[in-house]
Amino acid sequence: MDYQFTIIVPLYNEEANLLRVEKELGKYLHEASLKTCVLFVNDGSTDNSLELVEEICSRHSEFKFISFEQNRGLSAAIKAGFDHTLTPLVGYIDSDLQTDPEDFELLLKEIGDYDLVTGVRTNRKDSFVKNISSLIANGIRRSFTQDGMDDTGCPLKVIKTDYAQNIPMFKGLHRFLPAMILLQKGKIKQVPVRHYPRIAGKAKFHVMNRLVGPFIDCFAYLWMKRNYIEYKIARKNE
């Protein structure tokens, strides 16, 4: 089938959420404005996530998966998803479904004029500590990158695949996707999306890796920005 949009679903030990993911994404695929497929990226889960993913993919031709030998982290899972995308557009959503797949439509409406459109979670349903730590982390990151984005941690994004596949991903760089599009002279936009509480499974991030890690990663981003290679071909012979 000629799919136009791939939704990446990174996951690590999310067996309690996967049947709900199947239901909600399956519903969205039948309503989506573009021909859409789903790519699970199993980040070395140690529970029954892989078995459930295999069962889901056996039930739906639009669902595919890749699975790591061992846990490599969210940035690696997103990069693997980008690398294995064959459609012109790629997006991703977390397997905890704290964002709604239907809101991809809000992002897809804008992607024609932009190269990355990211959600901004409104009326967030996280704990006070998580919200405050996220607010601080976003402020620190924004001061380094000057990307103007309020919520780069929002797990709902749509990117033009040629830009996504040109991002030199490193650990932690999933927090800097808008800034990495800007380095490619691309255009970015943020759009308000809905947010829901996590109802199953356990969050993989806590205060320390939500604050300390992003702060250190900001310096890695500055190094990358200073050394980033960007060029356009003016002429070539065929």
Side-chain angles (χ1 to χ4, degrees), residues 53-70:
V53 164
E54 290 176 328
E55 291 176 11
I56 292 169
C57 292
S58 71
R59 290 193 286 265
H60 307 277
S61 61
E62 306 96 335
F63 285 69
K64 306 294 182 184
F65 78 91
I66 55 178
S67 185
F68 290 174
E69 290 184 346
Q70 55 185 320

Side-chain angles (χ1 to χ4, degrees), residues 32-140:
S33 57
L34 298 179
K35 189 67 175 177
T36 303
C37 60
V38 174
L39 177 62
F40 289 110
V41 182
N42 176 44
D43 185 19
S45 296
T46 56
D47 62 359
N48 292 319
S49 291
L50 179 56
E51 289 77 7
L52 282 171
V53 164
E54 290 176 328
E55 291 176 11
I56 292 169
C57 292
S58 71
R59 290 193 286 265
H60 307 277
S61 61
E62 306 96 335
F63 285 69
K64 306 294 182 184
F65 78 91
I66 55 178
S67 185
F68 290 174
E69 290 184 346
Q70 55 185 320
N71 179 247
R72 304 303 297 170
L74 181 56
S75 291
I78 292 173
K79 173 175 170 49
F82 288 167
D83 290 345
H84 287 79
T85 293
L86 302 175
T87 54
L89 295 174
V90 61
Y92 75 86
I93 187 170
D94 276 357
S95 53
D96 59 19
L97 288 184
Q98 287 193 256
T99 49
D100 194 323
E102 292 182 357
D103 284 349
F104 273 122
E105 292 298 302
L106 301 175
L107 279 56
L108 289 169
K109 287 180 181 178
E110 306 292 340
I111 195 63
D113 295 326
Y114 295 90
D115 304 299
L116 174 147
V117 182
T118 182
V120 179
R121 292 167 286 188
T122 58
N123 192 21
R124 287 184 62 172
K125 299 300 192 296
D126 290 322
S127 68
F128 175 79
V129 172
K130 186 174 181 180
N131 284 336
I132 290 298
S133 61
S134 180
L135 183 66
I136 294 171
N138 272 299
I140 293 171

